[in-house]
Amino acid sequence: MRYIGTRNKELTATASQAILQGICPDGGLYIPEEIPKLPLSLEALSKMRYQELAFTILKEYLDFTDEELKMCVESAYDEKFDTKEIAPVVKKGDVLFLELFHGRTLAFKDMALSILPYLMKTAAKRCGVKEKIIILTATSGDTGKAALEGFANVEGTGIMVFFPENGVSPVQKLQMTTQEGDNTAVVGILGNFDDAQSAVKSIFTDADMAKELQEKGYRFSSANSINIGRLVPQIVYYIHGYLQAVKQGVIQMGEKLDVTVPTGNFGNILAGWYAKQMGLPLGKLVCASNENKVLYDFLRTGVYDKNRPFYVTVSPSMDILISSNLERLLCHLDSQEATKERMAALSKNGIYRMEEEKKDFYGEYASKEETFAAIREVFSKDGYVMDTHTAVAYAAAAKYRKETGSKVPMLIVSTASPYKFTKDVMTALDSAYEKEDPFRLMEELEKKSGVPIPAPIRSLEQKEVRHKKVCEKDQIKDCVRQWLLK
Ligand SMILES: *Cc1c(COP(=O)(O)O)cnc(C)c1O
């Protein structure tokens, strides 16, 4: 399996090289030259534990030995998850929820970031890399904490995270600023996620800075979903989700299952598309956006236009106007030459077109009112409390079914625990909660939902804040220098 660049197919890499580099030298992303087919029948896959399934699928994408890969998978998907199933599927009303928030940081980012540090260390060993690997990460809230947990105190690595100072939930912020580990740094930036992501991407492609750091014994990599090592582990849970839907009798083996994914950087949903390309019988992939509905407009009109107001919403992990992973889809559906032109247009004028049909996808979005109404509806019907991101997906799925009349069973990809966004979740249930302290509201949520407060955040409020630095968005590069050369 070779990887090639989205802007130049001559830029090739092994999986290990692609994972280490994070991004192509020309700013493009690595994609598999050919998407592999499922190596075994669905029946055979359905007999596997999550870890075995992950091993079987990842083997198709990575250049690791069986022993190396086994170590990665077994170390990642262990008691860090609060359930043996790793990613349970629960049926509520007429939909299924694929719960991806049972890892340490309570968001789906744990699914990939629990394994990425192992993938990266193995890749470094295979490539004979001696430098210390510095992970630079831009976060809209959840990637940051999941990456910090993954890389904290991992020998031979350091991690620096940039998050929008005024664009994450109180729990998300405290989760990051209380992070322990001598090799960690966390910085709030006076800007939004797109500002942080652009700055970090430009550092990765800055040859002078790379040289300067190499002399000091460092090299950069990325824990963002631009890294193929993030994307590939996410394919696994779509297959697992499908097989669970069969086991629960919602579909027969081989029948179609639609999926709705709350989307920001287009990484999660793209992994679903890869699963479908591998031969998993998925129907539509409904791409659910919040008010930052640049993807909805793109899927409906063929025009991607980021020139629009940026909204801070109740689903902050989806507050993104430059969905990086869309570049991968564009390249799979068209050519490197065309993708290069589109990305140049995006960076110059903030706009590009692609009129060709994207038949596997369906764009939807939900407003704050629709999101809150969805939380209330599911709670009153089924006693099940969704987080705000999952609720965007739920509302989008309902709109999709209404518009198309589809009767295909629906899997909602559930990306966060409601405890991560307690304030907005509780306000959705009753506006009287709006003025209350988000940490006290956790106890209220526990009473209402009957789901115990997850251990990783129970004592969060008492933890010491260790990271207080805030910087302007154009100072990110200086921040990195200061930290590494201190
Ligand atoms: C990151 C995140 C998303 C968006 O996922 P993408 O892969 O960026 O599209 C949705 N919900 C939650 C809770 C997240 O943390």
mmCIF file with all atom_site columns, all heavy atoms in Angstrom, residues 39 62 179 318 438 481:
data_model
loop_
_atom_site.group_PDB
_atom_site.id
_atom_site.type_symbol
_atom_site.label_atom_id
_atom_site.label_alt_id
_atom_site.label_comp_id
_atom_site.label_asym_id
_atom_site.label_entity_id
_atom_site.label_seq_id
_atom_site.pdbx_PDB_ins_code
_atom_site.Cartn_x
_atom_site.Cartn_y
_atom_site.Cartn_z
_atom_site.occupancy
_atom_site.B_iso_or_equiv
_atom_site.pdbx_formal_charge
_atom_site.auth_seq_id
_atom_site.auth_comp_id
_atom_site.auth_asym_id
_atom_site.auth_atom_id
_atom_site.pdbx_PDB_model_num
ATOM 1  N N   . PRO A 1 39  ? -10.810 -7.468  3.625  1.00 0.00 ? 39  PRO A N   1
ATOM 2  C CA  . PRO A 1 39  ? -10.025 -8.676  3.388  1.00 0.00 ? 39  PRO A CA  1
ATOM 3  C C   . PRO A 1 39  ? -10.773 -9.966  3.704  1.00 0.00 ? 39  PRO A C   1
ATOM 4  O O   . PRO A 1 39  ? -10.347 -11.039 3.284  1.00 0.00 ? 39  PRO A O   1
ATOM 5  C CB  . PRO A 1 39  ? -8.826  -8.511  4.332  1.00 0.00 ? 39  PRO A CB  1
ATOM 6  C CG  . PRO A 1 39  ? -9.325  -7.621  5.416  1.00 0.00 ? 39  PRO A CG  1
ATOM 7  C CD  . PRO A 1 39  ? -10.353 -6.721  4.806  1.00 0.00 ? 39  PRO A CD  1
ATOM 8  N N   . LEU A 1 62  ? -1.380  -0.289  6.619  1.00 0.00 ? 62  LEU A N   1
ATOM 9  C CA  . LEU A 1 62  ? -0.096  0.040   7.235  1.00 0.00 ? 62  LEU A CA  1
ATOM 10 C C   . LEU A 1 62  ? 0.994   -0.933  6.806  1.00 0.00 ? 62  LEU A C   1
ATOM 11 O O   . LEU A 1 62  ? 0.712   -2.067  6.435  1.00 0.00 ? 62  LEU A O   1
ATOM 12 C CB  . LEU A 1 62  ? -0.230  0.030   8.769  1.00 0.00 ? 62  LEU A CB  1
ATOM 13 C CG  . LEU A 1 62  ? -1.276  0.979   9.357  1.00 0.00 ? 62  LEU A CG  1
ATOM 14 C CD1 . LEU A 1 62  ? -1.325  0.843   10.876 1.00 0.00 ? 62  LEU A CD1 1
ATOM 15 C CD2 . LEU A 1 62  ? -0.989  2.428   8.968  1.00 0.00 ? 62  LEU A CD2 1
ATOM 16 N N   . GLN A 1 179 ? -3.840  19.767  32.022 1.00 0.00 ? 179 GLN A N   1
ATOM 17 C CA  . GLN A 1 179 ? -3.090  18.597  31.558 1.00 0.00 ? 179 GLN A CA  1
ATOM 18 C C   . GLN A 1 179 ? -1.745  18.462  32.270 1.00 0.00 ? 179 GLN A C   1
ATOM 19 O O   . GLN A 1 179 ? -0.983  19.411  32.357 1.00 0.00 ? 179 GLN A O   1
ATOM 20 C CB  . GLN A 1 179 ? -2.849  18.703  30.042 1.00 0.00 ? 179 GLN A CB  1
ATOM 21 C CG  . GLN A 1 179 ? -2.050  17.560  29.467 1.00 0.00 ? 179 GLN A CG  1
ATOM 22 C CD  . GLN A 1 179 ? -2.802  16.223  29.534 1.00 0.00 ? 179 GLN A CD  1
ATOM 23 O OE1 . GLN A 1 179 ? -3.980  16.166  29.228 1.00 0.00 ? 179 GLN A OE1 1
ATOM 24 N NE2 . GLN A 1 179 ? -2.111  15.174  29.950 1.00 0.00 ? 179 GLN A NE2 1
ATOM 25 N N   . MET A 1 318 ? -17.471 21.573  15.872 1.00 0.00 ? 318 MET A N   1
ATOM 26 C CA  . MET A 1 318 ? -17.810 21.599  14.444 1.00 0.00 ? 318 MET A CA  1
ATOM 27 C C   . MET A 1 318 ? -17.768 23.021  13.897 1.00 0.00 ? 318 MET A C   1
ATOM 28 O O   . MET A 1 318 ? -18.226 23.273  12.786 1.00 0.00 ? 318 MET A O   1
ATOM 29 C CB  . MET A 1 318 ? -19.218 21.027  14.246 1.00 0.00 ? 318 MET A CB  1
ATOM 30 C CG  . MET A 1 318 ? -19.325 19.575  14.649 1.00 0.00 ? 318 MET A CG  1
ATOM 31 S SD  . MET A 1 318 ? -21.022 19.084  15.029 1.00 0.00 ? 318 MET A SD  1
ATOM 32 C CE  . MET A 1 318 ? -21.772 19.254  13.417 1.00 0.00 ? 318 MET A CE  1
ATOM 33 N N   . PRO A 1 438 ? -21.720 25.307  35.311 1.00 0.00 ? 438 PRO A N   1
ATOM 34 C CA  . PRO A 1 438 ? -21.690 24.078  34.510 1.00 0.00 ? 438 PRO A CA  1
ATOM 35 C C   . PRO A 1 438 ? -21.252 22.848  35.314 1.00 0.00 ? 438 PRO A C   1
ATOM 36 O O   . PRO A 1 438 ? -21.676 21.732  35.018 1.00 0.00 ? 438 PRO A O   1
ATOM 37 C CB  . PRO A 1 438 ? -20.687 24.381  33.398 1.00 0.00 ? 438 PRO A CB  1
ATOM 38 C CG  . PRO A 1 438 ? -20.001 25.636  33.748 1.00 0.00 ? 438 PRO A CG  1
ATOM 39 C CD  . PRO A 1 438 ? -20.868 26.358  34.736 1.00 0.00 ? 438 PRO A CD  1
ATOM 40 N N   . ARG A 1 481 ? 8.611   28.235  18.835 1.00 0.00 ? 481 ARG A N   1
ATOM 41 C CA  . ARG A 1 481 ? 10.062  28.442  19.006 1.00 0.00 ? 481 ARG A CA  1
ATOM 42 C C   . ARG A 1 481 ? 10.413  28.581  20.481 1.00 0.00 ? 481 ARG A C   1
ATOM 43 O O   . ARG A 1 481 ? 11.315  27.932  20.977 1.00 0.00 ? 481 ARG A O   1
ATOM 44 C CB  . ARG A 1 481 ? 10.494  29.733  18.308 1.00 0.00 ? 481 ARG A CB  1
ATOM 45 C CG  . ARG A 1 481 ? 10.871  29.520  16.891 1.00 0.00 ? 481 ARG A CG  1
ATOM 46 C CD  . ARG A 1 481 ? 11.954  30.508  16.462 1.00 0.00 ? 481 ARG A CD  1
ATOM 47 N NE  . ARG A 1 481 ? 12.216  30.270  15.049 1.00 0.00 ? 481 ARG A NE  1
ATOM 48 C CZ  . ARG A 1 481 ? 11.451  30.773  14.079 1.00 0.00 ? 481 ARG A CZ  1
ATOM 49 N NH1 . ARG A 1 481 ? 10.437  31.566  14.354 1.00 0.00 ? 481 ARG A NH1 1
ATOM 50 N NH2 . ARG A 1 481 ? 11.717  30.472  12.823 1.00 0.00 ? 481 ARG A NH2 1
#
